Amino acid sequence: MSDLSAEEGPPRVSMAAEDDGLFALPTSSDDTPPAEPVPAGAPLAVRMRPRTLAEVVGQAHLLRPGAPLRRLAEGGEAASVLLYGPPGTGKTTLARLLADAAPRHFVALSALSSGVKELRDVMNDARHRRDRQKRQTVLFIDEVHRFSKTQQDALLGAVEDRLVLLVAATTENPSFSVVAPLLSRLLVLQLQSLSEDEVRALLRRAVRDERGLGGAVTLSAEAEDALVRLAAGDARSALTALEASADGVTGTGGTVVDVSAVERAVAQTTVRYDRQGDQHHDVVSAFIKSIRGSDPDAALHYLARMLVAGEDPRFIARRLVVHASEDVGLADPTALQAAVAAAQTVQLIGMPEARLALAQATVHLATAPKSNAVIVGIDEAMADVRAGAVGEIPAHLRYGRYTGARELGNAIGYRYPHRLPEGVLEQQYPPDDLVGTDYYRPTQHGGERVLHERLIRLRRAVRGEEG
């Protein structure tokens, strides 16, 4: 097969494949017909998809002159990339524009419907195209985090040898969702949620552009503010909400989209939260840190985000139980009881009523005095044990109720504390090397203030120290 002639130019791709909401994914055939114009009845987000890099709103940090993504789009920088960011930030749009900007063959796969066989077929075609046509293949994989480890491993050789130029997209934190060997071979480019000004610009363009609403409606300032707020940085959500609001207005003969029109069209903001990804970890982290920081209002906010997003209430309850011992401890001995009671309520009653017990435990822990003395104590003790500070158990503490135990010296000399009215007496309990080591150091917070004074007296009595 002869080399591709200069007159042929970039390959044309079909828009017949799966649509992600911003634009359709192209097929991999060299012989597909030119892309047809987007139908007038297509969703607004599809009609307004960027046709050039200049039309892309947001991601200026990736598209400025000299940036890796711009160099790639201009035909240089043969580096495989991972586009990581929230929904509606243009990952698939950018990948599609990369295919149009350089004379490379473009293949799109969705991790939802492709397996190892499809990957191998693409690699074989790419090898043939490279060897026979001297033409590079760009492989776009959407939702790459949904590939199994085996599927991701199947990409390693092709990416390492640059058999394909991989452009992968994911909404998941790649540290959690992409295997380390593949991640090390990719240039990770993080896309950011659109700013309020960028969403505002996108809405205004859609209102006036002939591809969009073509000036059929006007958008009040209050409605624009509401749409910006509801979008939360998601371009697709902003355009979808605008279209629904505009349809409601024009359907009754109106021309002004106001706040009431937005409220009628959009019931509530979609909570961005993925139970397997970084949003899950971020919200849970913020929840625990708000409790630790004694801010019950912020803690209730993050609890609400988890509950509205459908997080398993048993997971939340388990985190509260852990937190009760980790960050409250004996500064409030009832905190653990409250957390355990909430966990039991979740098991016995379930949602939605269990939200009240979870909220009660959250407020209890957030407003309780805090102490991490328990976790510090056990972690220091475990660290010493791992380091070999185990020592011999004092003979008088060893088990002595078996034949021959006393001949070994076991239990001889043990003093029974309850024989004294105080219930405390001088006696060595730790191994010799750990005598005088204080692992538990109570704070002056809450119940530990009283415990602090009592522990001083107990240690003096047990260790035979002068008061």
Side-chain angles (χ1 to χ4, degrees):
M1 182 179 296
S2 61
D3 292 346
L4 192 67
S5 67
E7 289 76 20
E8 287 185 19
R12 289 181 169 178
V13 292
S14 169
M15 303 301 291
E18 181 181 352
D19 193 331
D20 80 330
L22 290 180
F23 56 80
L25 299 179
T27 64
S28 60
S29 172
D30 285 325
D31 302 320
T32 52
E36 298 180 359
V38 178
L44 180 61
V46 175
R47 304 199 306 272
M48 290 304 300
R49 62 185 175 234
R51 296 165 296 187
T52 66
L53 286 177
E55 290 186 357
V56 174
V57 175
Q59 316 313 327
H61 63 296
L62 299 180
L63 297 174
R64 64 180 182 272
L69 195 59
R70 178 167 288 278
R71 293 200 302 272
L72 183 63
E74 292 173 347
E77 190 66 28
S80 291
V81 298
L82 178 73
L83 303 177
Y84 155 52
T89 52
K91 296 181 294 298
T92 315
T93 294
L94 290 171
R96 179 63 182 83
L97 291 175
L98 294 181
D100 289 341
R104 303 182 179 106
H105 181 72
F106 189 83
V107 181
L109 295 178
S110 172
L112 294 172
S113 57
S114 303
V116 173
K117 180 182 182 300
E118 287 79 7
L119 285 175
R120 288 174 177 164
D121 290 344
V122 169
M123 300 311 169
N124 289 334
D125 289 344
R127 185 174 291 104
H128 177 85
R129 191 172 298 107
R130 180 195 63 185
D131 296 343
R132 299 293 183 88
Q133 301 178 4
K134 309 302 180 185
R135 189 176 172 199
Q136 191 173 31
T137 297
V138 174
L139 171 60
F140 174 66
I141 299 180
D142 197 18
E143 305 285 345
V144 70
H145 61 272
R146 296 184 182 273
F147 265 170
S148 67
K149 181 180 183 298
T150 300
Q151 291 168 311
Q152 292 186 34
D153 286 343
L155 294 166
L156 295 177
V159 173
E160 177 76 23
D161 299 337
R162 291 188 176 175
L163 175 61
V164 298
L165 193 63
L166 176 64
V167 179
T170 178
T171 56
E172 302 281 336
N173 188 322
S175 298
F176 298 116
S177 58
V178 179
V179 296
L182 179 59
L183 193 60
S184 68
R185 291 166 169 81
L186 300 175
L187 178 63
V188 179
L189 303 177
Q190 184 169 4
L191 279 69
Q192 300 170 354
S193 295
L194 273 63
S195 70
E196 290 190 356
D197 288 343
E198 289 166 345
V199 174
R200 208 176 295 277
L202 192 69
L203 291 170
R204 293 175 182 177
R205 179 195 294 176
V207 168
R208 67 174 183 270
D209 196 295
E210 290 301 323
R211 290 180 298 155
L213 302 179
V217 297
T218 57
L219 188 62
S220 74
E222 294 79 8
E224 183 180 275
D225 289 341
L227 289 170
V228 169
R229 185 174 62 255
L230 289 168
D234 185 326
R236 187 184 298 110
S237 292
L239 294 174
T240 300
L242 171 62
E243 183 175 30
S245 303
D247 286 347
V249 168
T250 56
T252 57
T255 59
V256 178
V257 176
D258 55 17
V259 171
S260 62
V262 174
E263 291 175 344
R264 288 193 300 268
V266 183
Q268 67 178 45
T269 282
T270 300
V271 177
R272 182 177 294 159
Y273 185 90
D274 190 311
R275 286 170 54 182
Q276 301 300 321
D278 61 316
Q279 280 294 317
H280 161 85
H281 293 279
D282 288 346
V283 174
V284 172
S285 176
F287 175 59
I288 293 302
K289 289 173 181 173
S290 297
I291 296 176
R292 181 181 296 133
S294 300
D295 189 334
D297 305 299
L300 285 175
H301 166 76
Y302 292 117
L303 173 63
R305 283 174 68 161
M306 289 188 285
L307 293 176
V308 171
E311 179 61 83
D312 187 343
R314 296 172 299 177
F315 167 79
I316 301 172
R318 288 194 296 268
R319 295 308 308 162
L320 289 171
V321 171
V322 171
H323 176 76
S325 292
E326 180 178 352
D327 288 299
V328 178
L330 293 176
D332 180 358
T334 66
L336 182 58
Q337 298 172 14
V340 171
Q344 292 174 336
T345 301
V346 168
Q347 294 285 358
L348 292 172
I349 298 177
M351 294 294 288
E353 292 84 356
R355 77 190 189 283
L356 302 176
L358 291 172
Q360 181 176 330
T362 296
V363 173
H364 186 140
L365 269 60
T367 56
K370 304 298 190 294
S371 171
N372 68 344
V374 169
I375 187 173
V376 170
I378 185 60
D379 285 352
E380 287 184 1
M382 292 178 68
D384 280 352
V385 169
R386 292 190 181 104
V390 289
E392 291 291 334
I393 297 174
H396 59 278
L397 298 184
R398 298 174 191 166
Y399 184 61
R401 295 187 177 181
Y402 64 91
T403 303
R406 298 191 68 81
E407 285 76 6
L408 297 174
N410 291 7
I412 296 176
Y414 172 68
R415 303 176 65 195
Y416 188 56
H418 292 294
R419 289 177 180 170
L420 295 182
E422 300 84 358
V424 181
L425 49 76
E426 179 183 351
Q427 185 162 234
Q428 179 181 335
Y429 292 99
D432 292 343
D433 292 343
L434 294 176
V435 171
T437 300
D438 297 343
Y439 288 119
Y440 178 54
R441 298 182 291 277
T443 68
Q444 293 291 324
H445 305 154
E448 281 195 330
R449 180 181 303 173
V450 176
L451 193 54
H452 175 80
E453 298 300 326
R454 174 171 169 74
L455 187 55
I456 291 175
R457 296 193 298 271
L458 287 173
R459 282 174 174 158
R460 286 173 178 170
V462 171
R463 297 171 182 176
E465 299 172 351
E466 294 295 330

